[in-house]
Amino acid sequence: MSEEKARTSDVVKMWFLFLYFIILTVERVISLIDVFMGDFSKYDALDWYMTALTLFAIFGAYIFMITRCELFVKRYNNGKTAASPVVSQKNFGRLSIAAGILLLGGMVHTNGTIPPIQFASYGMILVSMAIHTAQQVKAHGGALMKWLSFAYIVAFSMAIPVVYHSAIELSWLFIPLECVVSAGLVILFTSMLKNFYEGDGEYSFSFLAFLIMVIGDAAVVILRWSEEINFFVLIFASLAAVLWIIGKVLKVKKAK
């Protein structure tokens, strides 16, 4: 891939990441407006947790992005300085951290949540990831492992449970558990995304992260089974498990 094409691809995948920030921020702000226009007397501790987390996620993401992400670098050509929107892998990694911070607030079902808009924002990250994968395949080969890594990280991200209210008998246990599992898996996904952008597109298929996902998702799905079966999390956790096994087997074969 020529330098010019690589630079163009970097700009495109950067803008798709920006679209994620823009779309999800708009949706979260709409939700917060709905929350603060509602009847406070009807809100419980979970409502205030989700509201506080959403506020932290929005402010935290943009403060981190502004203070830690150098979005443009300068090129010097014949003694002249020109702004060139080329983003290094390190800066993509930092953008990934900001994306993960914002995602913390996107994984809670506050009043006024608009799921289709949220899915549209997440889709922007997936497109950016796909562009990065295609770049790395073009530059380094290894298409099977790189696209398998892409698929696994996507499935893992989709297996993160959204925090909801629940009226089950064990809600006193379920609600804190789903908060911890959701936030914990967002943090793990953020780490994966950072390493994905800073590396060559291949994932190591960590056993620990996989085990945490399996145990956390299983606990959340099983505890709420009598009230509602979370087929979305169940399907993507199962898909992630299959992809992890395949990826691990291929990694072992490659190492021999």
Side-chain angles (χ1 to χ4, degrees):
M1 182 179 294
S2 68
E3 182 182 347
E4 184 177 350
K5 287 184 178 180
R7 186 160 55 245
T8 300
S9 296
D10 282 341
V11 172
V12 173
K13 71 180 181 182
M14 178 187 68
W15 278 108
F16 273 108
L17 270 182
F18 283 166
L19 284 173
Y20 156 79
F21 283 102
I22 294 168
I23 296 170
L24 186 56
T25 300
V26 169
E27 189 278 335
R28 291 288 77 199
V29 169
I30 291 172
S31 177
L32 286 174
I33 291 172
D34 187 83
V35 169
F36 288 113
M37 290 182 66
D39 184 355
F40 287 12
S41 66
K42 294 182 180 179
Y43 297 159
D44 58 17
L46 180 59
D47 288 309
W48 289 118
Y49 162 78
M50 293 190 293
T51 301
L53 184 62
T54 301
L55 284 168
F56 163 79
I58 294 173
F59 284 104
Y62 285 97
I63 289 172
F64 183 90
M65 192 191 308
I66 292 169
T67 59
R68 299 298 302 276
C69 302
E70 184 184 349
L71 301 180
F72 295 91
V73 296
K74 292 182 177 180
R75 297 174 65 230
Y76 295 88
N77 185 18
N78 296 325
K80 295 181 179 180
T81 303
S84 176
V86 178
V87 182
S88 68
Q89 286 182 300
K90 183 177 181 180
N91 283 317
F92 268 110
R94 290 176 177 174
L95 280 173
S96 299
I97 296 174
I101 295 171
L102 185 61
L103 186 59
L104 285 169
M107 298 307 295
V108 292
H109 194 82
T110 48
N111 288 353
T113 293
I114 312 173
I117 296 181
Q118 287 189 333
F119 278 113
S121 70
Y122 303 148
M124 299 301 101
I125 289 185
L126 304 190
V127 174
S128 178
M129 289 174 63
I131 294 171
H132 182 72
T133 301
Q135 282 181 305
Q136 298 306 312
V137 169
K138 184 74 173 178
H140 306 293
L144 177 60
M145 285 304 303
K146 287 178 174 57
W147 285 111
L148 184 63
S149 298
F150 166 80
Y152 174 74
I153 296 172
V154 170
F156 186 100
S157 70
M158 294 299 175
I160 301 172
V162 176
V163 176
Y164 287 94
H165 282 86
S166 175
I168 62 174
E169 186 176 350
L170 292 175
S171 60
W172 58 270
L173 172 62
F174 172 76
I175 289 175
L177 178 66
E178 70 170 346
C179 291
V180 170
V181 171
S182 180
L185 293 185
V186 168
I187 292 170
L188 287 174
F189 167 66
T190 303
S191 176
M192 291 180 186
L193 194 62
K194 178 178 181 294
N195 292 332
F196 171 81
Y197 277 117
E198 289 184 344
D200 62 358
E202 284 194 21
Y203 180 59
S204 63
F205 294 92
S206 163
F207 177 72
L208 181 59
F210 170 71
L211 184 63
I212 292 172
M213 180 206 69
V214 170
I215 294 174
D217 280 351
V220 168
V221 170
I222 291 171
L223 277 174
R224 202 178 176 216
W225 193 276
S226 61
E227 182 181 53
E228 181 182 354
I229 302 173
N230 195 332
F231 284 109
F232 191 88
V233 168
L234 190 59
I235 289 170
F236 278 101
S238 300
L239 177 60
V242 172
L243 293 171
W244 183 86
I245 292 170
I246 295 172
K248 205 64 176 177
V249 169
L250 291 177
K251 279 283 186 182
V252 171
K253 288 185 176 181
K254 185 179 179 180
K256 289 182 178 180

